[in-house]
Each structure stands twice: as C-alpha cells, then as structure tokens.
Amino acid sequence: MESVDRVFQTDHRRVGDFQFDDEVARVFPNMISRSVPGYGSILSMIEQLAERFVVTNSHVYDLGCSLGAATLLMRPRLPGDCKIYAIDNSTAMVSRLREKLTSVDSNGGGARVEILETDMRDVQFSNASFVVLNFTLQFLPVAQRRDVLQRVYQGMLPGGALLVSEKLRFAQPEQQDWLTNLHLDFKRANGYSEMEIAQKRTALEQQLVPETMGEHIERLEAIGFSTIVPWFQCFNFASMLAVKSET
Ligand code: GEK
C-alpha cells in the first residue's frame, strides 16, 4: 500500500533544507501526485512518446529518475537491444529503485535498465534517442542548466527527443498570482494543510528555481534543437518536447 506523505505535517522538521532523503523517498509517489498537477498524465504520455522516438540499439536517459516511475513505464515497451540509464543522485531513491526493479517481471522483454547513483551533471551522454528530465532540471542552479542540456544535445542521435517537465514562473504578476493560487487550491484539495504547504514552500525555496516557458524555449533553441513543442500545461506545471533535427 502507498505510504502517505506526512513529511511537513509537524513543525518539528527543520525547514529550509529539503532533501531527497529516506523520509521523502518512502512517501514519494504520494507526495508528487498530490503536489504536481498533471503528473500522472505526463507519465502516461512519456510511455507513449518513448515508443515514438526510441530507435533500435539506442540509449534512453531518465535523469533524476527518483523511484523510476518513467523508466518502469517505458521499459516493457522498448526494444530489448536498448538500454535505459535511470539516474539519480539520491541514495535513498536509488536503493528503493534497485529493490523495485528486482521485483518487477524481467521475463516480459523490453529494454535493459542500468541504475546509476550519480549527479546528472557528470553524465556522458551517447547514442541517445530519448532523454527524460521529468521535474528535475528545476533543481539545478539556473547557471548550470544550459551545460547539461548542451551535453544531452551533443550525445543525442538525429531525430532524438528531450522531454522537459518543469514548474513554471510567469513574467506577468497577475498570471503568477493566479496560477500559484490555483496550485495551492490543488494541494488543499489533496489534503495538505496550510502548515504543510507553507513549510514545504520554505524548504524548497532555495532549491527549486522555476523559469518561464520563454526562457526554456530560448535556451533549447540556442542549443540547437530544431523543434520545441510545449505539449502539456496544468496551472504552473508544464512539459515540453525538444527534437533534434534528422539532418
Ligand atoms: C519522476 N523524474 O517520478 N543529479 C541527479 N538527480 C538529481 C539531481 C542531480 N543533480 N538533482 C536532483 N535530482 C521523477 C521525479 S523528482 C521531482 C523527479 C520532484 C533528483 C532528486 O534526487 C529527485 O529524485 C529528482 O531529481 C526530482 O518522474 O520531487 O518534484
């Protein structure tokens, strides 16, 4: 049975220091689906999009994979000669994913999975047909985001695609206020108290820095991606696809 997120329910926890530790990893599926509007829809589309972009004998990267939700959905649908690198720098997430992976049926075919406990800034990308950054880029310092995206692009096959899902910031204050309030309503409707919402917000403030959709698109274009398609948005959460030209 899924463990319920009560991480910020008491005010004993030292806020301002959000970490992907064991306490968070234990409740993570519950936490993310109650906090990120559209998370479930995005995951099911990742499964579908992987089938479209992944080519035989290529690599797929799931960067900041947490408990491997995207990896585990993609794996059975991809060719056996493909490899998914499921990458996260949290020991708690990676060890839970290792346990999970040994318990899923590996006889059903699909891609091989290699789990790496490492920082995505240190990954050497190669032969990539599909790269997933599902709510992960936002945790890197803004100044370091371009370098990671650039290296993804360089390691990507022609016709390959990068999927980036992020919390967004809005340049117009009215839009920012509306969408923030709608997101807060979503969290309240999912049972989070005002104290939990406030404490998590404080804890994440320094670590999750959202950018505007325009900033994302501009950077991806500057790197060289030929087509950038924002394909999903719910309140202040969005997902986009950046495709590398075939030629
Ligand atoms: C999902 N994609 O369920 N290198 C590697 N991993 C990192 C880094 C880094 N530098 N920084 C953060 N992480 C998942 C959800 S959660 C999103 C992604 C959220 C990892 C971090 O350890 C955590 O597991 C993940 O990125 C972010 O589809 O919690 O809002």
Side-chain angles (χ1 to χ4, degrees):
M1 212 182 68
E2 188 175 273
S3 304
V4 176
D5 169 23
R6 297 198 173 88
V7 173
F8 291 98
Q9 219 165 59
T10 64
D11 60 5
H12 299 303
R13 192 183 160 96
R14 192 162 57 96
V15 293
D17 193 15
F18 185 84
Q19 283 176 6
F20 291 101
D21 55 14
D22 211 55
E23 191 185 12
V24 168
R26 195 175 56 79
V27 299
F28 187 73
N30 182 269
M31 175 186 271
I32 195 160
S33 55
R34 287 167 68 208
S35 309
V36 176
Y39 173 72
S41 307
I42 292 173
L43 275 182
S44 60
M45 291 305 142
I46 288 176
E47 185 179 358
Q48 181 185 318
L49 289 163
E51 277 197 301
R52 167 163 285 271
F53 288 104
V54 175
V55 295
T56 186
N57 240 315
S58 67
H59 296 159
V60 174
Y61 293 85
D62 183 3
L63 302 174
C65 60
S66 300
L67 301 181
T71 291
L72 294 170
L73 282 171
M74 291 188 287
R75 187 193 65 86
R77 310 209 17 177
L78 301 182
D81 58 9
C82 286
K83 192 183 235 187
I84 305 177
Y85 289 98
I87 293 168
D88 204 289
N89 65 351
S90 151
T91 305
M93 292 290 190
V94 165
S95 55
R96 279 173 189 269
L97 174 56
R98 285 195 205 286
E99 280 168 30
K100 235 175 163 179
L101 198 68
T102 47
S103 67
V104 297
D105 176 22
S106 54
N107 301 324
R112 290 160 297 145
V113 176
E114 186 167 337
I115 302 169
L116 300 174
E117 182 185 333
T118 190
D119 194 299
M120 67 176 128
R121 287 166 287 193
D122 299 330
V123 176
Q124 297 302 317
F125 301 95
S126 65
N127 197 25
S129 54
F130 191 51
V131 178
V132 175
L133 271 166
N134 200 32
F135 300 109
T136 312
L137 190 67
Q138 60 195 14
F139 289 104
L140 290 186
V142 174
Q144 296 178 13
R145 295 179 187 177
R146 187 187 171 116
D147 181 60
V148 172
L149 296 171
Q150 182 91 51
R151 286 187 300 103
V152 165
Y153 181 80
Q154 281 158 0
M156 190 174 266
L157 296 167
L162 164 68
L163 179 138
V164 186
S165 309
E166 291 275 290
K167 183 173 187 179
L168 292 181
R169 178 177 76 80
F170 296 84
Q172 283 183 18
E174 298 78 12
Q175 282 190 350
Q176 180 67 44
D177 286 350
W178 262 102
L179 294 163
T180 303
N181 286 331
L182 292 170
H183 179 220
L184 293 180
D185 286 347
F186 172 86
K187 293 185 83 165
R188 290 181 190 115
N190 282 326
Y192 284 116
S193 68
E194 297 307 317
M195 183 172 78
E196 285 174 288
I197 292 171
Q199 292 203 118
K200 189 171 184 197
R201 184 186 248 196
T202 309
L204 276 174
E205 226 149 49
Q206 306 297 322
Q207 283 155 63
L208 194 169
V209 180
E211 295 175 282
T212 64
M213 179 62 89
E215 287 165 332
H216 282 288
I217 293 176
E218 229 172 78
R219 184 171 49 213
L220 291 165
E221 275 174 355
I223 286 169
F225 286 98
S226 61
T227 311
I228 294 134
V229 192
W231 63 272
F232 181 91
Q233 186 177 332
C234 184
F235 305 147
N236 44 351
F237 291 80
S239 190
M240 62 207 96
L241 260 183
V243 182
K244 185 170 181 172
S245 161
E246 291 278 359
T247 51

